[in-house]
Amino acid sequence: MVPSTARPAAGVVPLLLVLHWKHGAGSPLPITPVNATCAIRHPCHNNLMNQIRSQLAQLNGSANALFILYYTAQGEPFPNNLDKLCGPNVTDFPPFHANGTEKAKLVELYRIVVYLGTSLGNITRDQKILNPSALSLHSKLNATADILRGLLSNVLCRLCSKYHVGHVDVTYGPDTSGKDVFQKKKLGCQLLGKYKETIAVLAQAF
Amino acid sequence: MALFVVFQTTFFLTLLSLRTYQSEVLAERLPLTPVSLKVSTNSIHQSLHLQWTVHNLPYHQELKMVFQIQISRIETSNVVWVGNYSTPVKWNQVLHWSWESELPLECATHFVRIKSVIDDASFPEPNFWSNWSSWEEVSVQDSLGRGTLFVFPKDKLVEEGSNVTICYVSRNIQNNVSCYLEGKQIHGEQLDPHVTAFNLNSVPFIRNRGTNIYCEASQGNVSKGIEGIVLFVSKVLEEPKDFSCESQDFKTLHCTWDPGTDTALGWSKQPSQSYTLFESFSGEKKLCTHKNWCNWQITQDSQEMYNFTLIAENYLRKRSVNILFNLTHRVYLMNPFSVNFENVNATNAIMTWKVHSMRNNFTYLCQIELHGEGKMMQYDVSINVNGEYFLSELEPATEYMARVRCADASHFWKWTEWSGQNFTTLEAAPSEAPDVWRSVNSEPGNHTVTLFWKPLSKLHANGKILFYNVVVENLDKPSRSELRSIPAPANSTKLILDRCSYQICVTANNSVGASPASIIVISADPENKEVEEERIAGTEGGFSLSWKPQPGDVIGYVVDWCDHPQDVLQWKNVGPNTTSTVISTDAFRPGVRYDFRIYGLSTKRIACLLEKKTGYSQELAPSDNPHVLVDMLTSHSFTLSWKDYSTESQPGFIQGYHVYLKSKARQCHPRFQKAVLSDGSECCKYKIDNPEEKALIVDNLKPESFYEFFVTPFTSAGEGPNATFTKVTTPDEHSSMLIRILLPMVFCVLLIMIVCYLKSQWIKETCYPDIPDPYKSSILSLIKFKENPHLTIMNVSDCIPDAIEVVSKPEGTKIQLLGTRKSLTETELTKPNYLYLLPTEKNHSGPGPCICFENFTYNQAASDAGSCGHVPVPPKAPPSMLGLMTSPENVLKALEKNYMNSLGEVPAGETSLNYVSQLASPMSGDKDSLPTNPVEPPHCSEYKMQMAVPLRLALPPPTENSSLSSITLLDPGEHYR
């Protein structure tokens, strides 16, 4: 259901659709054409960058707790083999260059947030099925996904209003639907490990 | 013989050749070898799926055939399974068959071949197995994709207790792979260099989220990755229990069961087991939506018999239970309703209720339960539509709960739920007289009687007691009686009766009437019978009392006592033939003394005190120690006393006292025994067995020694509390003796002093009387009477002057002489200066040898006059008196001069005057300065009272007329020697 590889090819669906992904939604968003107009439904907030920084700080503050909750809920061998099972070796994770221009950083942030958003959606779906009683984990996953959606909206507004960026090529997190349960656990753990690591860099960069 | 052997061999060879030929001919004739064998895999179920066909069936008809299938693993020679599959086969039919592998298919290559035989009775030809088909190889390892380590099977669902085989495929044989189940390493069997299988026997259910099994590849200490699987172990599906169906209205059958364990697993690997209801007579089936009940609609009125099968099913197992029943035997009625009570009075009531109508002529069996006063009564009754039951023998003023349930009387299946209601019976008059007792205090002229009664039990009160009537009737004067009504809940009243016999009747009254009377008689005689008190021992169960029967007829005995600490009188009635009882109550407390009095009740209902007993339900150790006084402390003994200690108010009978004594001496005194205290220290102990002996003389002690003592009472439960020892030091032996001597001495001295003080006048007169004043002497009057001038006292002219010595102290006396203004400090006087008055004429023809000398410095008159300047010198005394000197003028001059100097310059007190008695011999002074002619002692001499006065006061002013009979003024510079 969700492709596991990046699809940088150009699409036709407006970029705003990205804002409406659902848990588990992994189908690639076609990339807007280069010459598409930058259209925003709502006016952007005056202090967008501060909001972005605040959201990144908020995510950074909760990332470790989310990671711990996750690997604890998976059972052995996850809590005692974090480096082997939950290492942040996610190969197709969008890159980020902290020394780039604000525009470049925002574009890269946008890609990362999209990637994380879809990945978190898959993880949340899997965990609700696998660990229906892990309510704390579910709550944390939902809260993180909510903040990511807000962050994505703000980044989009910033890109659109200041830099007139109408489209960004994005990649999505790996599709876990075809994987076995152990692989789902492992991929989720790796993704959250990567998320914890990346979000710290992002919070620092902005 | 040889010929026979050759013949036999030839025969067997011929037979064998014939058999071989026949087989070959038949096989060739019917080549039924399975062909087109295709094998596919199902990774989810770990199964091989085979399909094949059989060509050349001789007839276009269905034949029953048997196929033998061989499955090998890794290599063809390693056959792991052989089995037959029998099925009818049609011409050109494609046959299917599946085989589930224990070992995950990903871990090994499998080989399959098949052969067949016709097993059909209609086929006339002999049956022979066909040839094997060629081996068909199945391998899924090539489709594993990238990676070096794989673990199988993925997400396998198994039942608890089953055996599971897992395996891993390691593409790098240099990796060392270890596998773990829930953290514990498991060991397997290596199938080939890349594959190892693990047989897990009887896997346990751990959690419904599955069990993680993982393998870690490593080279040395370097991990090359972890891969794993989740094994979903399901609980074993249980057979439904207590499956039953019933109907309340002949329209719906309600079936229920106990589903047992829920076998649902996480990750949607297995939902909860499903339940299906199947009725075999109608052939209908219903999937139940609830896990423990299901409703079945009755559609055919004619169907009475039902055969239900309840099927429980999950992914792994199916279970079923079956019941067969007649619908009319499974009627579960609806609950009765409209439960009411009619005609309720004190002892009976009518209960009515209704039931839901089922069918015509339906008979109900109903059961009634009546709960009240802690009892339950049950009644059964058969009814048709409306129920009614007469409840009798009820207790008055009692709340009851009555309930009813019903069932089908024809075919009992199940009771309905209870339907009930409460009701209360009406009151009736109390049925029993109150239990009454009294205490009597006799006082001069009257009795104070306190009546006590116990509240009637609910059983006898028959309602709420409103008041008690007390009728006091004077037996000596029957016409007089008194009625008192005491409102409930009072349980006592006080009566003051005179010295007559009284009968007291007590009744309890409720709203309906009065109880029978309880009668007690107070005799006119005071209850002053002295009965000795006996000690008894109580137990945890109470006090066991026994007494001597009262002579004469008695109607019973009463034992009374007081509860503590409420101090409420309690009593117990005992029958006339009983002389012992056990008083047991929870109110008895350990350490409290209870006094029991046993009365006999005469036929006239007069109580007579028989015995007194006292005791403790449990004696305790004394709660406090006596306050001990130390008396009569001597150097060798002292007395301990604790007279104030009360033995009566203790939590046990005081049996005596222990006196502990500590001293430096190791040896205990006589009568004392060695004892070890709780702190381990040693001391001496003396035991007093008499509780009233509250003093002890501790003797044989050493003087000036330190002793410690401690007195504690003891009961049967032990000693009193530990307390500190009191210290005593015996005094010194001599000091006491000194005290014995000194005290009387001091007393005597004081006595003497007091006596002396009181008799001081007498002592003065006796020991040192006043010097008589000659002027005041009575002899003067006698002299005057004779008028003899010679006999007057102290006329200077009559006296022969004697030598006068005037001594002036030489120590630094400063006298400034008025005339010369010469300071005396300039002249050191190292020797006393004397002025002698010596007789100037040897032939003195004076009136007598008496020498009269009047010392003015000791003049009584001067002292009396204060600053008086005149000396009471007789006025007739001529100045010629000084003529006793060698020259009266010279002497006078000298005297005047010295006199003036003295008056003018000598301050009072600075010059002392030494008086030399006229009688004193000059020998007493300086011998060297003595005159050669000693003065003859006068025949008589007389003193006047001498009084030292300052010169300033004593001397008269220096007038020319001043006549000093004998004055010596001292001038240190001009004195005579």
Side-chain angles (χ1 to χ4, degrees):
Chain A
M1 180 172 147
V2 179
S4 59
T5 56
R7 300 290 177 86
V12 293
V13 178
L15 183 61
L16 282 174
L17 281 180
V18 175
L19 296 175
H20 299 285
W21 85 69
K22 300 294 181 188
H23 288 170
S27 57
L29 270 181
I31 307 304
T32 51
V34 177
N35 56 357
T37 57
C38 182
I40 307 169
R41 275 191 287 183
H42 305 290
C44 292
H45 197 273
N46 293 332
N47 201 3
L48 270 179
M49 284 311 293
N50 277 344
Q51 283 207 6
I52 289 170
R53 287 187 200 102
S54 172
Q55 285 165 323
L56 285 172
Q58 198 176 354
L59 290 170
N60 189 33
S62 63
N64 195 42
L66 175 62
F67 182 55
I68 293 170
L69 272 176
Y70 181 87
Y71 69 66
T72 304
Q74 309 316 307
E76 277 300 316
F78 289 89
N80 292 319
N81 295 276
L82 292 179
D83 52 338
K84 300 162 196 169
L85 290 167
C86 306
N89 48 354
V90 182
T91 52
D92 56 351
F93 198 80
F96 180 75
H97 302 90
N99 52 359
T101 62
E102 183 184 275
K103 178 184 174 183
K105 287 197 291 185
L106 282 171
V107 168
E108 288 177 337
L109 174 62
Y110 187 88
R111 288 195 182 106
I112 289 171
V113 173
V114 168
Y115 186 97
L116 287 174
T118 52
S119 300
L120 274 180
N122 289 335
I123 292 170
T124 306
R125 176 202 60 195
D126 291 346
Q127 290 301 313
K128 281 186 176 175
I129 298 170
L130 182 63
N131 284 315
S133 57
L135 300 179
S136 178
L137 173 63
H138 303 162
S139 170
K140 205 84 177 172
L141 285 167
N142 285 331
T144 305
D146 288 344
I147 300 170
L148 280 174
R149 269 196 292 273
L151 176 62
L152 188 69
S153 174
N154 285 336
V155 173
L156 174 65
C157 266
R158 182 72 173 174
L159 282 173
C160 204
S161 60
K162 186 173 182 181
Y163 302 107
H164 305 292
V165 174
H167 83 280
V168 176
D169 296 337
V170 296
T171 57
Y172 301 118
D175 176 21
T176 59
S177 61
K179 306 282 186 185
D180 63 80
V181 175
F182 195 86
Q183 285 300 316
K184 285 175 181 172
K185 291 179 176 182
K186 187 176 174 183
L187 284 172
C189 202
Q190 286 174 340
L191 193 282
L192 288 179
K194 182 69 178 176
Y195 161 72
K196 185 186 79 165
E197 181 187 87
T198 306
I199 209 71
V201 176
L202 292 174
Q204 191 72 26
F206 287 90
Chain B
M1 186 65 184
L3 183 63
F4 176 74
V5 171
V6 170
F7 175 75
Q8 189 180 24
T9 305
T10 306
F11 177 74
F12 279 112
L13 286 173
T14 306
L15 194 62
L16 182 62
S17 303
L18 183 63
R19 176 71 182 168
T20 305
Y21 171 78
Q22 189 180 20
S23 299
E24 287 175 354
V25 168
L26 284 175
E28 286 176 359
R29 196 171 53 202
L30 291 172
L32 299 179
T33 303
V35 295
S36 304
L37 176 62
K38 293 180 182 175
V39 181
S40 59
T41 60
N42 184 332
S43 292
I44 295 172
H45 296 103
Q46 294 292 329
S47 60
L48 294 176
H49 184 72
L50 280 64
Q51 69 174 38
W52 70 95
T53 58
V54 180
H55 290 169
N56 302 328
L57 281 175
Y59 304 104
H60 297 275
Q61 63 182 48
E62 191 175 80
L63 288 176
K64 188 179 180 183
M65 294 188 71
V66 176
F67 299 93
Q68 189 173 67
I69 303 167
Q70 241 182 22
I71 299 175
S72 299
R73 188 174 285 159
I74 302 173
E75 54 190 18
T76 54
S77 60
N78 182 25
V79 177
V80 293
W81 189 87
V82 177
N84 290 342
Y85 169 56
S86 178
T87 182
V89 181
K90 293 179 182 175
W91 183 76
N92 272 347
Q93 180 184 356
V94 178
L95 297 164
H96 299 271
W97 182 80
S98 291
W99 175 76
E100 189 174 345
S101 172
E102 293 176 358
L103 181 71
L105 297 177
E106 294 87 349
C107 290
T109 302
H110 287 76
F111 301 91
V112 181
R113 67 178 180 176
I114 190 168
K115 65 180 180 181
S116 64
V117 65
I118 296 173
D119 184 24
D120 197 323
S122 62
F123 190 69
E125 300 292 336
N127 297 331
F128 295 100
W129 281 104
S130 70
N131 293 327
W132 285 107
S133 67
S134 60
W135 286 105
E136 192 68 24
E137 181 179 344
V138 183
S139 176
V140 290
Q141 285 191 1
D142 297 336
S143 62
L144 294 180
R146 291 180 297 174
T148 57
L149 182 65
F150 304 90
V151 185
F152 299 101
K154 303 286 187 188
D155 305 342
K156 187 175 179 65
L157 173 64
V158 296
E159 203 170 52
E160 182 182 19
S162 60
N163 300 329
V164 180
T165 301
I166 66 166
C167 61
Y168 69 80
V169 178
S170 173
R171 285 184 171 158
N172 187 347
I173 61 172
Q174 292 179 344
N175 284 345
N176 181 26
V177 180
S178 302
C179 295
Y180 303 87
L181 168 64
E182 286 294 315
K184 287 185 180 178
Q185 188 171 3
I186 53 177
H187 301 282
E189 175 191 0
Q190 190 173 27
L191 301 182
D192 68 29
H194 299 279
V195 178
T196 298
F198 302 86
N199 293 316
L200 306 179
N201 296 322
S202 186
V203 289
F205 171 84
I206 297 176
R207 65 183 77 84
N208 59 10
R209 303 195 308 273
T211 304
N212 289 333
I213 300 172
Y214 62 97
C215 299
E216 181 177 12
S218 60
Q219 287 185 6
N221 291 328
V222 180
S223 174
K224 295 296 181 183
I226 291 179
E227 291 296 335
I229 59 169
V230 177
L231 184 68
F232 290 91
V233 181
S234 163
K235 286 273 189 184
V236 178
L237 179 63
E238 297 175 20
E239 186 177 88
K241 301 180 199 64
D242 303 329
F243 176 46
S244 72
C245 298
E246 61 197 13
S247 177
Q248 287 191 312
D249 53 5
F250 294 110
K251 294 176 183 174
T252 305
L253 268 171
H254 179 67
C255 299
T256 58
W257 61 91
D258 176 8
T261 308
D262 189 348
T263 60
L265 292 174
W267 195 240
S268 300
K269 282 305 285 186
Q270 178 173 266
S272 296
Q273 62 267 33
S274 63
Y275 292 91
T276 305
L277 208 54
F278 173 70
E279 204 284 307
S280 62
F281 293 118
S282 62
E284 293 180 7
K285 182 184 282 188
K286 183 180 181 182
L287 181 64
C288 300
T289 53
H290 299 92
K291 66 177 183 179
N292 61 346
W293 64 271
C294 200
N295 281 340
W296 182 272
Q297 294 298 320
I298 298 173
T299 55
Q300 299 174 0
D301 290 341
S302 58
Q303 184 177 355
E304 286 196 345
M305 294 302 296
Y306 287 85
N307 184 10
F308 276 110
T309 302
L310 176 66
I311 304 158
E313 192 173 3
N314 65 8
Y315 288 172
L316 300 170
R317 192 183 286 267
K318 185 184 286 189
R319 299 267 195 172
S320 63
V321 287
N322 182 269
I323 53 170
L324 174 67
F325 60 88
N326 188 323
L327 177 62
T328 59
H329 298 177
R330 299 295 176 98
V331 177
Y332 176 50
L333 298 175
M334 284 187 273
N335 297 339
F337 61 101
S338 295
V339 178
N340 283 309
F341 300 92
E342 299 170 359
N343 301 330
V344 178
N345 58 33
T347 56
N348 47 51
I350 296 174
M351 178 181 181
T352 62
W353 67 95
K354 293 179 179 176
V355 292
H356 294 276
S357 176
M358 297 291 290
R359 287 176 178 174
N360 293 334
N361 300 323
F362 200 91
T363 305
Y364 304 89
L365 172 66
C366 293
Q367 191 172 64
I368 298 164
E369 268 188 10
L370 185 65
H371 296 262
E373 295 296 304
K375 293 183 291 186
M376 189 272 284
M377 288 158 287
Q378 202 171 64
Y379 314 100
D380 290 335
V381 58
S382 290
I383 62 168
N384 287 322
V385 181
N386 297 326
E388 180 179 304
Y389 191 80
F390 181 72
L391 299 170
S392 59
E393 297 179 348
L394 304 178
E395 296 293 338
T398 303
E399 183 176 16
Y400 287 93
M401 194 277 286
R403 58 182 189 172
V404 61
R405 62 181 180 179
C406 299
D408 180 4
S410 305
H411 307 283
F412 181 86
W413 162 242
K414 194 183 281 185
W415 289 110
T416 64
E417 295 296 318
W418 290 103
S419 296
Q421 195 76 265
N422 288 1
F423 71 100
T424 304
T425 53
L426 301 180
E427 288 191 357
S431 60
E432 193 165 278
D435 185 3
V436 178
W437 186 235
R438 88 296 178 272
S439 71
V440 180
N441 285 329
S442 296
E443 296 165 7
N446 56 39
H447 300 154
T448 300
V449 178
T450 308
L451 285 178
F452 299 91
W453 56 85
K454 293 175 182 173
L456 287 174
S457 66
K458 195 172 182 183
L459 179 66
H460 297 123
N462 290 343
K464 184 182 180 183
I465 299 298
L466 301 176
F467 58 91
Y468 294 88
N469 277 342
V470 178
V471 178
V472 182
E473 185 181 357
N474 190 326
L475 295 178
D476 299 334
K477 301 170 185 173
S479 61
R480 298 178 61 182
S481 63
E482 182 188 354
L483 169 65
R484 293 186 184 188
S485 287
I486 295 138
N491 61 353
S492 67
T493 187
K494 190 172 280 187
L495 306 170
I496 297 176
L497 308 175
D498 57 15
R499 292 284 184 175
C500 294
S501 295
Y502 282 90
Q503 174 177 287
I504 302 170
C505 301
V506 181
T507 57
N509 296 263
N510 63 12
S511 62
V512 177
S515 70
S518 183
I519 300 170
I520 199 163
V521 173
I522 308 297
S523 68
D525 299 330
E527 291 187 342
N528 55 0
K529 184 179 178 183
E530 288 298 328
V531 176
E532 191 174 347
E533 189 174 69
E534 180 191 350
R535 286 185 176 181
I536 55 172
T539 62
E540 290 182 0
F543 291 90
S544 180
L545 305 175
S546 61
W547 57 90
K548 294 175 184 174
Q550 186 182 11
D553 292 336
V554 292
I555 61 169
Y557 297 94
V558 175
V559 180
D560 75 5
W561 70 95
C562 274
D563 264 352
H564 291 279
Q566 295 86 357
D567 209 22
V568 176
L569 184 69
Q570 304 289 329
W571 68 95
K572 181 180 181 182
N573 295 307
V574 183
N577 299 322
T578 308
T579 56
S580 66
T581 187
V582 174
I583 307 294
S584 61
T585 167
D586 293 338
F588 288 146
R589 297 283 177 264
V592 176
R593 182 183 289 194
Y594 294 94
D595 298 320
F596 297 93
R597 291 176 296 186
I598 300 162
Y599 294 86
L601 283 178
S602 70
T603 52
K604 295 180 178 177
R605 299 183 180 275
I606 298 174
C608 176
L609 179 61
L610 300 180
E611 293 184 20
K612 286 183 179 177
K613 296 178 188 295
T614 184
Y616 296 84
S617 63
Q618 181 188 346
E619 285 193 62
L620 301 179
S623 57
D624 57 347
N625 292 319
H627 176 65
V628 182
L629 300 175
V630 181
D631 296 329
M632 302 172 66
L633 177 63
T634 68
S635 55
H636 292 287
S637 68
F638 58 80
T639 302
L640 304 176
S641 67
W642 53 95
K643 304 290 184 189
D644 295 337
Y645 186 71
S646 169
T647 56
E648 296 300 311
S649 58
Q650 299 300 324
F653 292 120
I654 299 295
Q655 297 180 347
Y657 306 92
H658 286 152
V659 180
Y660 293 95
L661 186 69
K662 282 185 187 176
S663 66
K664 288 182 179 177
R666 289 287 181 186
Q667 293 295 327
C668 286
H669 296 81
R671 301 183 295 162
F672 280 81
Q673 294 177 342
K674 276 203 170 184
V676 179
L677 298 174
S678 57
D679 60 357
S681 60
E682 287 189 349
C683 67
C684 299
K685 176 180 174 182
Y686 180 70
K687 184 177 181 182
I688 300 173
D689 288 326
N690 181 6
E692 297 307 320
E693 185 181 330
K694 298 178 181 177
L696 176 69
I697 298 172
V698 183
D699 50 7
N700 294 324
L701 305 179
K702 291 180 181 176
E704 286 188 286
S705 296
F706 178 72
Y707 294 92
E708 290 179 282
F709 68 86
F710 169 53
V711 179
T712 182
F714 63 91
T715 66
S716 63
E719 290 183 345
N722 289 332
T724 55
F725 278 69
T726 306
K727 299 172 178 58
V728 174
T729 304
T730 52
D732 183 10
E733 199 171 11
H734 301 294
S735 63
S736 62
M737 195 172 292
L738 279 176
I739 287 172
R740 279 185 213 166
I741 296 170
L742 280 177
L743 276 177
M745 283 182 66
V746 169
F747 178 74
C748 290
V749 168
L750 281 174
L751 190 64
I752 291 169
M753 287 174 69
I754 291 167
V755 169
C756 289
Y757 175 73
L758 294 174
K759 298 293 184 182
S760 58
Q761 195 61 33
W762 178 81
I763 292 170
K764 183 182 176 185
E765 289 174 358
T766 306
C767 298
Y768 52 98
D770 288 339
I771 300 170
D773 188 353
Y775 288 101
K776 295 177 181 175
S777 175
S778 58
I779 200 164
L780 283 179
S781 59
L782 189 61
I783 293 169
K784 284 177 181 177
F785 179 72
K786 291 181 178 178
E787 292 182 350
N788 189 358
H790 297 287
L791 294 177
T792 55
I793 299 169
M794 292 298 288
N795 279 333
V796 176
S797 58
D798 298 336
C799 296
I800 300 168
D802 204 348
I804 295 174
E805 184 185 14
V806 176
V807 180
S808 179
K809 280 192 176 177
E811 292 85 10
T813 304
K814 296 177 182 178
I815 300 174
Q816 278 193 326
L817 299 177
L818 188 64
T820 60
R821 301 283 179 186
K822 185 180 177 182
S823 173
L824 285 177
T825 54
E826 296 172 3
T827 307
E828 287 293 328
L829 301 178
T830 56
K831 291 183 180 177
N833 298 318
Y834 297 96
L835 174 64
Y836 296 100
L837 297 181
L838 302 171
T840 53
E841 295 178 10
K842 291 184 179 178
N843 299 323
H844 176 67
S845 57
C850 294
I851 300 171
C852 180
F853 171 67
E854 186 173 6
N855 188 349
F856 283 95
T857 58
Y858 293 90
N859 189 293
Q860 180 66 48
S863 72
D864 294 338
S867 59
C868 177
H870 296 282
V871 176
V873 177
K876 291 180 180 178
S880 60
M881 182 185 70
L882 296 174
L884 288 173
M885 294 182 172
T886 49
S887 172
E889 291 82 6
N890 293 342
V891 172
L892 185 62
K893 283 180 182 176
L895 286 172
E896 283 177 351
K897 186 179 179 181
N898 291 338
Y899 179 70
M900 291 303 290
N901 289 343
S902 299
L903 287 178
E905 300 298 328
V906 179
E910 290 190 3
T911 302
S912 63
L913 182 75
N914 285 349
Y915 162 73
V916 179
S917 169
Q918 295 94 322
L919 300 179
S921 170
M923 291 302 287
S924 63
D926 190 353
K927 289 179 179 178
D928 297 338
S929 59
L930 285 176
T932 53
N933 298 324
V935 178
E936 289 181 10
H939 294 106
C940 64
S941 64
E942 192 172 10
Y943 277 95
K944 297 186 79 172
M945 185 181 73
Q946 298 175 356
M947 181 178 175
V949 293
L951 285 175
R952 186 181 58 184
L953 301 175
L955 295 178
T959 59
E960 291 182 358
N961 296 328
S962 296
S963 62
L964 297 175
S965 59
S966 59
I967 294 175
T968 303
L969 297 178
L970 302 180
D971 185 347
E974 298 181 26
H975 64 270
Y976 294 94
R977 297 199 65 174

